[in-house]
């Protein structure tokens, strides 16, 4: 029989699963607010719809497995998965996209493995990656931040109209004025321009990035709040952001015309969301502190590699999945020594 | 030098033989229940793959091509691979009897690992030279080993998870392999080879 040899914190603390999940939901509020402010009502509707579906699927699976439904619904883990997926999907994506995504996340990625605590892959990221691979057109149609099309004041598509667009009552041509490429996409498809020229020529890169900076800052605030409440340790986010910053600085110094600056990489796309809300998932990440450092650093490097040379617009989902893959292996080789047992400096090594 | 590096990245990550090209699935599912066995199997397969891709290249370019008998390449490669595997089996048996016992039937079954024959045939199809064949074979083996070792570490964990009864064992292994393959799609486009 194969025994798990991952070290774990067997200690108890006062925080129960529902409590931690609720803290996560609270910490995401600034991010949700910023997304709604800049990209319109779509984000809120997506999150609400995804949460509804997630609760439905969770209840259905629990019913099928003859487990107490109410108990598992109350731990709010399905809500967190739905929230992450809702934040990651484009705000105007059609209702069925979210439906497919939530089904994959809750039923396949989570409950086929036995539910919360057993899944080797982050459910929301499995769903996102699957949708990105299967429906690339819908997944890359991002909303433009309102600063791009509004000259004065706050102008986004109305709440009712957004509802209609998402649930298919309004044709997609109605929102053409409200969509644009994301800065990451824009920089990838810049033609023969150097980075500096692209930042001057493209409206998305010249005027639109402010919105993304603000969203990243909001996620960062939420992340710091979670750190302060000790929901996770500093190892994973720091290692991820640090390695991403280090490798992008290296390439930027080497050839500033071809590569984006480190600040761009740290604030665009899902970097901040990934560093604080996705990579820190205690189930799918490495366990020991040293393991978390390797795990986070791996995500940072992979994000940079896939963003710069790969063919998908954002890399956080794939990078997280790839390191989820490696996490059990990392755990195997980063077991902390047990208390009182020092590694012998000379002579027979016990673990050899 | 860059060319060899590109071949390595391409075979290990972008066109991973197991997760992207779906070759060699039999040992991938069969020997991945324990991490230690998976590592032994990886080493043996790496050795066989590299050696057999060299041997089959030599056989093709110095025996089959000059004699104008390229149509015999599949059957002669199978013979070459069988010889290399037999040799590996003898080496493993002498050097590590424990590993020999643990690998059991899967060691001779490397002969039927379609990744091995696949690499030999792809080498000819891509018209790889001598050095390129070595690097290609080695890269394919490293990709196979990477997938196998990571997969076995996950499977050890999934083995004690509360998986619903109909999905226990091979079924959840297949689902996991599919999700791994999904994750590896992130590497698409890194190298166009």
């Amino acid at each position: 029989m194969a025994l798990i040899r991952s070290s774990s914190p067997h200690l108890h603390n006062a925080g129960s699963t529902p409590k931690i999940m609720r803290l996560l939901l609270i910490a995401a509020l600034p991010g949700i607010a910023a997304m709604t402010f800049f990209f319109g009502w779509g984000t809120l509707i997506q999150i609400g719809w995804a949460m509804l579906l997630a609760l439905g699927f969770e209840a259905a699976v629990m019913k099928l497995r003859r487990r107490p439904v109410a108990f598992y619904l109350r731990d709010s883990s399905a809500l967190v998965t739905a929230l992450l997926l809702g934040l990651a999907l484009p705000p105007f994506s059609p209702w069925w996209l979210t439906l497919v995504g939530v089904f994959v996340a809750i039923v396949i990625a989570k409950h086929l493995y036995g539910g919360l605590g057993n899944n080797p892959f982050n459910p929301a990221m499995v769903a996102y990656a699957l949708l990105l691979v299967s429906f690339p057109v819908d997944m890359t149609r991002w909303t433009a931040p309102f600063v791009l099309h509004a000259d004065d004041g706050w102008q986004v598509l109305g709440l009712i109209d957004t509802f209609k667009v998402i649930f298919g009552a309004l044709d997609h041509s109605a929102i053409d004025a409200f969509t644009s490429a994301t800065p990451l996409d824009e920089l990838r498809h810049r033609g023969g321009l150097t980075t500096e020229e692209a930042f001057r020529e493209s409206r998305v890169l010249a005027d639109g990035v402010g919105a993304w900076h603000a969203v990243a800052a909001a996620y960062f605030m939420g992340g710091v709040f979670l750190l302060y409440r000790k929901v996770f340790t500093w190892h994973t986010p720091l290692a991820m952001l640090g390695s991403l910053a280090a490798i992008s600085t290296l390439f930027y110094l080497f050839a500033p015309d071809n590569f984006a600056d480190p600040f761009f990489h740290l604030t665009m796309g899902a970097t901040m969301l990934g560093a604080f809300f996705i990579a820190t998932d205690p189930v799918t990440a490495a366990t020991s502190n040293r393991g978390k450092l390797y795990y986070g650093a791996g995500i940072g490097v992979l994000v940079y590699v896939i963003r710069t040379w790969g063919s998908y617009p954002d890399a956080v989902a794939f990078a997280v999945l790839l390191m989820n893959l490696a996490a059990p292996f990392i755990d195997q080789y980063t077991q902390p020594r047990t208390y009182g047992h020092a590694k012998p400096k000379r002579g027979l090594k016990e673990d050899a | 030098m860059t060319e060899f590096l590109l071949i390595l990245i391409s075979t290990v990550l972008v066109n991973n033989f197991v997760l992207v090209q779906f070759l060699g699935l039999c040992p991938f599912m069969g020997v991945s229940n324990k991490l230690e066995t998976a590592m032994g199997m990886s080493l043996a397969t790496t050795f066989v793959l590299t050696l057999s891709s060299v041997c089959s290249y030599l056989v093709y370019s110095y025996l089959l091509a000059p004699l104008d008998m390229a149509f015999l390449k599949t059957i002669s490669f199978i013979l070459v691979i069988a010889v290399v595997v037999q040799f590996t089996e003898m080496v493993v048996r002498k050097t590590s009897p424990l590993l020999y016992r643990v690998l059991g039937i899967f060691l001779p079954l490397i002969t039927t690992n379609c990744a091995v024959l696949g690499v030999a045939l792809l080498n000819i199809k891509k018209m790889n030279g001598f050095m390129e064949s070595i690097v290609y074979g080695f890269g394919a083996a490293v990709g196979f080993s990477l997938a196998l070792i990571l997969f076995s570490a996950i499977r050890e964990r999934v083995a004690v998870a509360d998986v619903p009864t109909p999905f226990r064992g091979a079924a959840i292994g297949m689902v996991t392999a599919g999700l791994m393959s999904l994750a590896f799609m992130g590497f698409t486009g890194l190298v166009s080879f």
Side-chain angles (χ1 to χ4, degrees):
Chain A
M1 190 184 137
L3 288 174
I4 297 290
R5 275 147 304 183
S6 72
S7 73
S8 9
H10 298 297
L11 301 170
H12 251 289
N13 76 350
S16 58
T17 310
K19 234 186 204 162
I20 285 177
M21 294 295 168
R22 242 164 279 147
L23 266 181
L24 266 169
L25 294 176
I26 293 170
L29 284 179
I32 299 172
M35 290 277 284
T36 314
F37 179 66
F38 285 106
F39 301 105
W41 300 104
T43 314
L44 278 184
I45 299 173
Q46 294 295 349
I47 293 172
W49 172 231
M51 283 184 170
L52 209 68
L53 288 169
L55 289 180
F57 282 128
E58 181 105 351
V61 172
M62 281 307 142
K63 195 110 203 148
L64 274 176
R65 295 197 68 191
R66 301 201 185 88
R67 303 274 164 99
V69 175
F71 173 78
Y72 283 100
L73 287 191
R74 240 178 294 138
D75 76 6
S76 312
S77 63
L79 290 184
V80 170
T81 302
L83 171 80
L84 291 178
L85 191 61
L87 286 173
L89 290 177
F92 284 135
S93 48
W95 61 273
W96 52 264
L97 204 69
T98 319
L99 178 85
V100 174
V102 175
F103 175 80
V104 171
I106 299 291
V107 178
I108 295 182
K110 187 174 163 198
H111 280 296
L112 279 197
Y113 288 97
L116 182 67
N118 292 322
N119 48 315
F121 301 98
N122 187 317
M125 290 304 102
V126 169
Y128 183 84
L130 187 100
L131 292 177
L132 188 59
V133 169
S134 319
F135 309 103
V137 178
D138 291 289
M139 290 298 286
T140 47
R141 195 190 295 135
W142 254 88
T143 315
F146 79 91
V147 285
L148 278 189
H149 49 74
D151 299 322
D152 48 335
W154 190 56
Q155 262 179 353
V156 292
L157 195 67
L159 181 61
I160 307 294
D161 277 346
T162 314
F163 245 112
K164 282 186 184 159
V165 167
I166 291 173
F167 288 92
L170 206 62
D171 199 54
H172 256 288
S173 58
I175 56 161
D176 278 352
F178 294 96
T179 57
S180 77
T182 63
L184 279 173
D185 244 350
E186 192 78 6
L187 197 67
R188 174 192 303 276
H189 300 138
R190 60 171 181 251
L193 300 177
T194 64
T195 316
E196 204 196 333
E197 280 168 353
F199 268 97
R200 225 180 310 120
E201 304 282 319
S202 147
R203 280 208 67 205
V204 175
L205 288 176
D207 307 329
V209 283
W212 295 88
H213 290 161
V215 171
Y219 286 136
F220 184 73
M221 273 163 52
V224 169
F225 167 72
L226 288 177
L227 262 180
Y228 169 70
R229 296 299 303 265
K230 296 188 176 156
V231 172
F232 45 77
T233 62
W234 52 270
H235 300 84
T236 315
L238 189 80
M240 173 180 162
L241 297 177
S243 69
L244 181 58
I247 188 170
S248 52
T249 310
L250 197 72
F251 277 96
Y252 185 63
L253 290 180
F254 178 63
D257 283 350
N258 298 336
F259 300 101
D261 56 291
F263 185 66
F264 181 82
H265 274 290
L266 286 180
T267 51
M268 287 305 125
T271 310
M272 285 295 168
L273 179 68
F276 289 104
F277 290 85
I278 299 171
T280 50
D281 174 11
V283 180
T284 56
T287 318
S288 68
N289 286 342
R290 198 153 55 93
K292 282 182 203 162
L293 286 178
Y294 293 134
Y295 172 81
I299 295 180
V301 171
L302 283 172
V303 163
Y304 189 77
V305 167
I306 297 177
R307 264 188 195 169
T308 313
W309 294 286
S311 52
Y312 286 107
D314 199 359
V316 172
F318 287 115
V320 167
L321 283 182
L322 285 166
M323 288 316 285
N324 283 169
L325 262 180
F329 184 73
I330 294 175
D331 274 349
Q332 170 88 17
Y333 288 99
T334 55
Q335 297 172 43
R337 66 178 181 81
T338 44
Y339 186 70
H341 290 89
K343 238 190 188 151
K345 289 198 179 69
R346 276 176 298 166
L348 199 64
K349 301 247 188 321
E350 263 182 272
D351 58 357
Chain B
M1 209 49 228
T2 352
E3 191 195 359
F4 294 144
L5 193 69
L6 286 182
I7 293 181
L8 268 184
I9 293 176
S10 161
T11 45
V12 175
L13 300 178
V14 186
N15 298 316
N16 189 295
F17 264 77
V18 179
L19 295 174
V20 180
Q21 308 202 27
F22 307 119
L23 288 168
L25 285 177
C26 164
F28 182 67
M29 296 303 298
V31 209
S32 54
N33 286 323
K34 285 196 65 174
L35 191 56
E36 280 86 19
T37 359
M39 286 190 165
M41 185 66 178
S42 303
L43 279 181
T45 310
T46 306
F47 186 70
V48 169
L49 247 171
T50 316
L51 201 59
S52 74
S53 78
V54 175
C55 292
S56 53
Y57 172 81
L58 292 178
V59 165
Y60 183 81
S61 46
Y62 292 106
L63 205 64
L64 296 183
L67 294 178
D68 213 8
M69 294 203 298
F71 60 90
L72 280 180
K73 65 175 185 278
T74 308
I75 201 158
S76 48
F77 286 174
I78 292 176
L79 195 66
V80 169
I81 291 166
V83 170
V84 174
V85 169
Q86 201 59 51
F87 173 63
T88 314
E89 199 182 339
M90 273 147 59
V91 170
V92 171
R93 192 174 190 170
K94 273 285 170 209
T95 53
S96 168
L98 185 67
L99 185 64
Y100 179 76
R101 242 204 350 264
V102 169
L103 288 178
I105 186 67
F106 287 103
L107 195 55
L109 273 183
I110 297 179
T111 326
T112 59
N113 183 346
C114 46
V116 182
L117 184 62
V119 166
L121 290 173
L122 280 174
N123 265 332
I124 304 303
K125 197 170 149 215
K126 287 174 183 285
M127 292 196 268
N128 284 340
F130 181 69
M131 277 311 284
E132 286 159 339
S133 295
I134 297 181
V135 176
Y136 194 80
F138 180 69
V142 172
F144 176 82
S145 311
L146 180 75
L148 183 65
I149 289 173
L150 293 182
F151 186 55
S152 66
I154 295 182
R155 275 191 94 170
E156 283 197 358
R157 192 167 283 197
V158 171
V160 290
D162 176 28
V163 179
T165 326
F167 291 99
R168 295 255 164 91
I172 198 71
M174 291 286 197
V175 173
T176 312
L179 294 183
M180 282 177 80
S181 171
L182 178 68
F184 264 72
M185 284 189 82
F187 288 122
T188 314
L190 280 195
V191 186
S192 50
F193 222 93

